[in-house]
Amino acid sequence: MPSTTATIALAFAFATTVLCDYLGPTYPAPTDLATNGSHVSAAWRNLSSTLDGYIADPSANLTSPAGLKNVTFSVGMFSINDPSAAALQFHHTSAEISNSTSGLRKVDGDSIYRVASITKLITTLAGMLNLKTSDWDRPITEFVPTLAAYAAAHPAADDRTGTVDWSKVTLAALASQIAGTPRDVSPYDPSDYLLLDPTGALAASFGLPPVDPSDPVAVPPCLISLLEGNTSCPSDQFAIGAEARPPLFLPWTSPAYTDYGFMLLGAAIANITSRSFHDVYRESIFEPLGMRSTYSNIPDPSQYGRYVIPGNVSTAGLTPEGAPEVTIPSGGILSTTNDLAKLGTAILNSTLLNADQTRQWMKPVSHTAMFEYSVGKPWEIYRYTHPRSGLVTDLYTKLGDSGYYSGYLVLIPDYDAGFSIIMASSLPQRTALVSLLADIVTEAVLPGLTSQAEAEASENFVGTYTSQDDNLNSTLTLAILPTGKPGLVMTQFISNGTDVLQSGAIDTGPVRLLHSITDRPNGRIAFRATHTATPSGGLFSRGLNANYDWLAGDSPTYGGIGLGLFVFDVDSNGNATAVSPEAWRVKLVKS
Ligand SMILES: *[C@@H]1O[C@H](CO)[C@@H](O)[C@H](O)[C@H]1NC(C)=O
Ligand SMILES: *[C@@H]1O[C@H](CO)[C@@H](O)[C@H](O)[C@H]1NC(C)=O
Ligand SMILES: *[C@@H]1O[C@H](CO)[C@@H](O)[C@H](O)[C@H]1NC(C)=O
Ligand SMILES: *[C@@H]1O[C@H](CO)[C@@H](O)[C@H](O)[C@H]1NC(C)=O
Ligand SMILES: *[C@@H]1O[C@H](CO)[C@@H](O)[C@H](O)[C@H]1NC(C)=O
Ligand SMILES: *[C@@H]1O[C@H](CO)[C@@H](O)[C@H](O)[C@H]1NC(C)=O
Ligand SMILES: *[C@@H]1O[C@H](CO)[C@@H](O)[C@H](O)[C@H]1NC(C)=O
Ligand SMILES: *[C@@H]1O[C@H](CO)[C@@H](O)[C@H](O)[C@H]1NC(C)=O
Ligand SMILES: *[C@@H]1O[C@H](CO)[C@@H](O)[C@H](O)[C@H]1NC(C)=O
Ligand SMILES: *[C@@H]1O[C@H](CO)[C@@H](O)[C@H](O)[C@H]1NC(C)=O
Ligand SMILES: *[C@@H]1O[C@H](CO)[C@@H](O)[C@H](O)[C@H]1NC(C)=O
Ligand SMILES: *[C@@H]1O[C@H](CO)[C@@H](O)[C@H](O)[C@H]1NC(C)=O
């Protein structure tokens, strides 16, 4: 087969697996996650026994699920609609920790792990709570004098490939991982070969020449000070190691992970608020949310008994060598499963930011080269495709991985829920195992949440709704078809004696209604009809015929109201009592 044909066939196969409904959930978010009857708690029990099985597996393969027995980890759910979901937890203590000579010996929901780069999410939230919207468009040169001086003396226009235009590096670009600036900066660069082997032997084995010791890019002031035992490294001194580094990209070109970007963001937040970032974290996040076991400062040794410490505090990286203050906004925060549940719940429930800011924040800023992975501010957004329906659910996540600690915070706005994973181990397989565990949890929890949302929708919306006016022959019947596409399917819609489904007014195929707006305080939940999609053809053709809802969501209308708008009256339990097909200007009562 010619390769172009194969490519096209593959692309079409891929496209047809994805259900091109509106972006977002099919049904309102589930409200019962934790009772025994919930599909979510059933999925959690299943997950727990699956994990018990892996832990009991004697295999010595550390990159298979059996390797999970060799690492210590805590997993926990949360939901804004069901606070008891936070009791769905799983903890495993490996021999390394149960036998540890420092720190605790058995993990639970209050065990403190270093959450490493999950810190970047907390730093960004701290910024959103304390900065003006316009501050995000200010360049880092307004806050770090070293970079301002460098930018003034070295116009990037003279050398685009060799010089970062620091005056164009905005706080928004840094927070969105798209500034194109250096990833890590000496002396806190875990991948610099000069630092990995200061003898130069490793570098020589690669054919790399010795560096000039007077070159501040190679040997910056903070490195010299650190070698002399001075662990202080103010952000403007640290910046000397970064200022002359070549850019990876021009700003806003391609997202690329940088730790240093969040050290700069932390410095800017401290400057703008005239407070230390420790105070900013504590006063604007930890204290308001009651995150009483979450810290940005180095723990006092008398407290080590609350911490998960593989090896000792230095090998674990609990207190990184020299405890460099400047790196904390990138990866220094310490927290627990219970506190991460409070944080995740608060973000999803708009406890600190308002709901409009939250929805705007939880969107991608850029794609990556991988279809199922986009980047926000600083969300790492995975796109999960449900195997049966092809529905796509976006997971807003942040990874942490530093020292002997790894973890994920995962928020699922479509279900008002999420989960955290925190892990500790001296084994280098830890990083692969935390992603494997996130895959395992996702494969268990996402189907559970989907089934529960569908079961609640079935309970609350399925049924027959009729006019209370004896002179009006109007009836709407809704069903959920277990083997069909998801959504409330209209099996009958008679309006004033006319069979609307036969008339083709809304659509020709089975008409499905999808959740659009939940307004529980006012007892109203809106759904919209989706257009029948038959994906076919090339890229642009599929954009037209498969992704039609986004193009034509609110049309056609009658007298200014979309024919596809169906608004339910719901009681305080979320149970529908009536539906208004709004364009028909009628209310039909559930029987
Ligand atoms: C839920 O299930 C667990 C385990 O099967 C059982 O111990 C518990 O009593 C059940 N709770 C209720 C309220 O049924
Ligand atoms: C439990 O998990 C297995 C495999 O992980 C899956 O096949 C099964 O459907 C799950 N059962 C429930 C009730 O979620
Ligand atoms: C270890 O497990 C992984 C994942 O299951 C597998 O790909 C790999 O081949 C296994 N390694 C060995 C040595 O069996
Ligand atoms: C993994 O755990 C098993 C069971 O505790 C133990 O026998 C094995 O030595 C551990 N492997 C490593 C590399 O720690
Ligand atoms: C979410 O916010 C609502 C409204 O402010 C509040 O009533 C509810 O208790 C919150 N849920 C959780 C789990 O905090
Ligand atoms: C626990 O520590 C003791 C003393 O250091 C050692 O003899 C033993 O092998 C360790 N056990 C495990 C399971 O690592
Ligand atoms: C420690 O090193 C930093 C970075 O080079 C420097 O700014 C600071 O003055 C030094 N402190 C002392 C006490 O020498
Ligand atoms: C913020 O940075 C500017 C520019 O470097 C500096 O003039 C100002 O003093 C700093 N403010 C604080 C509170 O650190
Ligand atoms: C921590 O452990 C490492 C490696 O075992 C050892 O070299 C170091 O001396 C220990 N540090 C402390 C403070 O115990
Ligand atoms: C129902 O149909 C009748 C007869 O066609 C018409 O006169 C009447 O206006 C209609 N009423 C409504 C509410 O649509
Ligand atoms: C209502 O209209 C439908 C569709 O035209 C018709 O089949 C049905 O008999 C009517 N019912 C009554 C009570 O008139
Ligand atoms: C939901 O509402 C319908 C109709 O109003 C009613 O028959 C049913 O009992 C209600 N279900 C619950 C669980 O309240």
Side-chain angles (χ1 to χ4, degrees):
M1 190 193 287
S3 65
T4 44
T5 314
T7 308
I8 290 168
L10 260 179
F12 287 5
F14 175 78
T16 53
T17 62
V18 175
L19 182 69
C20 290
D21 285 345
Y22 300 103
L23 179 70
T26 306
Y27 306 110
T31 58
D32 171 16
L33 281 75
T35 69
N36 275 3
S38 170
H39 290 278
V40 182
S41 73
W44 197 266
R45 286 192 295 276
N46 196 356
L47 170 68
S48 301
S49 57
T50 302
L51 293 176
D52 285 335
Y54 294 147
I55 288 164
D57 184 339
S59 162
N61 184 339
L62 290 171
T63 55
S64 78
L68 288 169
K69 67 176 168 298
N70 293 95
V71 297
T72 296
F73 61 90
S74 296
V75 191
M77 280 289 296
F78 48 85
S79 153
I80 71 176
N81 300 319
D82 186 354
S84 43
L88 299 175
Q89 297 190 357
F90 185 96
H91 302 279
H92 170 63
T93 309
S94 70
E96 180 177 44
I97 293 300
S98 63
N99 209 19
S100 176
T101 52
S102 50
L104 52 73
R105 293 188 177 179
K106 184 168 174 28
V107 287
D108 62 24
D110 292 321
S111 302
I112 307 176
Y113 296 68
R114 186 172 155 211
V115 301
S117 291
I118 295 173
T119 302
K120 292 178 172 69
L121 180 61
I122 301 174
T123 299
T124 305
L125 176 60
M128 295 190 70
L129 293 168
N130 288 281
L131 271 49
K132 296 196 295 289
T133 307
S134 56
D135 286 334
W136 291 96
D137 293 326
R138 296 170 67 185
I140 193 61
T141 44
E142 291 188 21
F143 312 104
V144 180
T146 307
L147 298 179
Y150 187 84
H154 302 83
D158 295 349
D159 178 14
R160 291 267 173 225
T161 63
T163 307
V164 174
D165 190 348
W166 293 104
S167 69
K168 295 286 164 47
V169 172
T170 62
L171 304 191
L174 291 171
S176 307
Q177 300 279 29
I178 196 164
T181 47
R183 186 186 195 282
D184 292 293
V185 173
S186 181
Y188 309 120
D189 182 349
S191 65
D192 189 297
Y193 282 111
L194 184 64
L195 303 181
L196 289 173
D197 179 15
T199 68
L202 184 59
S205 78
F206 296 154
L208 290 165
V211 293
D212 173 359
S214 68
D215 175 359
V217 171
V219 189
C222 284
L223 175 59
I224 296 170
S225 306
L226 189 64
L227 295 174
E228 290 165 355
N230 165 11
T231 57
S232 154
C233 179
S235 69
D236 57 332
Q237 293 289 302
F238 190 38
I240 295 172
E243 60 183 14
R245 294 266 308 268
L248 179 56
F249 292 107
L250 300 179
W252 301 105
T253 303
S254 181
Y257 202 90
T258 134
D259 292 317
Y260 183 54
F262 285 82
M263 301 178 201
L264 291 173
L265 184 60
I269 292 170
N271 179 290
I272 292 169
T273 60
S274 303
R275 286 186 286 163
S276 80
F277 43 69
H278 298 291
D279 290 347
V280 174
Y281 292 134
R282 199 180 58 251
E283 290 165 13
S284 46
I285 301 177
F286 304 159
E287 283 177 356
L289 299 183
M291 296 169 68
R292 280 181 284 275
S293 299
T294 301
Y295 306 99
S296 61
N297 42 6
I298 302 309
D300 187 275
S302 71
Q303 297 292 308
Y304 284 166
R306 301 172 62 200
Y307 289 78
V308 188
I309 306 174
N312 61 42
V313 289
S314 353
T315 53
L318 182 71
T319 60
E321 188 63 39
E325 183 79 2
V326 71
T327 67
I328 283 171
S330 169
I333 289 178
L334 304 142
S335 191
T336 67
T337 302
N338 287 334
D339 277 2
L340 290 175
K342 290 177 190 167
L343 176 67
T345 305
I347 293 173
L348 289 169
N349 211 14
S350 306
T351 308
L352 299 176
L353 287 176
N354 70 42
D356 294 282
Q357 288 174 301
T358 303
R359 283 194 300 275
Q360 188 179 356
W361 183 31
M362 300 189 79
K363 289 289 175 292
V365 172
S366 172
H367 299 302
T368 69
M370 178 178 168
F371 267 129
E372 306 98 320
Y373 189 98
S374 301
V375 177
K377 187 181 158 186
W379 301 108
E380 294 154 13
I381 307 162
Y382 288 92
R383 317 207 69 204
Y384 175 84
T385 304
H386 294 265
R388 182 178 68 79
S389 63
L391 177 71
V392 175
T393 297
D394 291 339
L395 311 180
Y396 282 74
T397 82
K398 186 68 201 78
L399 163 72
D401 186 48
S402 182
Y404 287 168
Y405 299 94
S406 300
Y408 284 97
L409 182 63
V410 176
L411 305 190
I412 318 169
D414 286 359
Y415 297 114
D416 289 351
F419 61 87
S420 71
I421 299 175
I422 37 184
M423 184 178 279
S425 170
S426 62
L427 291 171
Q429 290 84 2
R430 184 198 67 250
T431 307
L433 285 168
V434 80
S435 329
L436 179 62
L437 181 54
D439 288 340
I440 293 166
V441 175
T442 299
E443 296 297 341
V445 161
L446 265 287
L449 286 164
T450 312
S451 299
Q452 184 59 24
E454 186 159 281
E456 291 184 19
S458 179
E459 189 77 19
N460 292 332
F461 300 101
V462 161
T464 296
Y465 300 75
T466 48
S467 168
Q468 298 299 89
D469 177 351
D470 288 341
N471 297 320
L472 194 62
N473 176 8
S474 294
T475 300
L476 174 67
T477 304
L478 297 173
I480 290 176
L481 308 179
T483 56
K485 289 183 180 176
L488 299 173
V489 177
M490 286 187 207
T491 54
Q492 181 194 34
F493 184 17
I494 307 293
S495 176
N496 194 13
T498 295
D499 186 334
V500 179
L501 296 179
Q502 289 299 318
S503 75
I506 308 179
D507 201 1
T508 48
V511 178
R512 295 183 298 131
L513 300 181
L514 309 177
H515 167 266
S516 59
I517 299 174
T518 290
D519 180 10
R520 287 191 200 279
N522 294 304
R524 307 273 281 170
I525 297 185
F527 280 66
R528 288 281 181 162
T530 181
H531 298 83
T532 306
T534 313
S536 64
L539 192 56
F540 286 77
S541 301
R542 290 199 311 280
L544 189 66
N545 61 36
N547 207 16
Y548 196 66
D549 280 341
W550 104 267
L551 281 172
D554 193 32
S555 64
T557 55
Y558 175 64
I561 301 179
L563 295 189
L565 176 61
F566 290 72
V567 181
F568 293 85
D569 293 351
V570 294
D571 65 19
S572 58
N573 298 319
N575 187 17
T577 54
V579 65
S580 303
E582 297 286 355
W584 281 264
R585 274 85 172 167
V586 68
K587 177 175 286 198
L588 308 175
V589 173
K590 196 158 150 204
S591 46

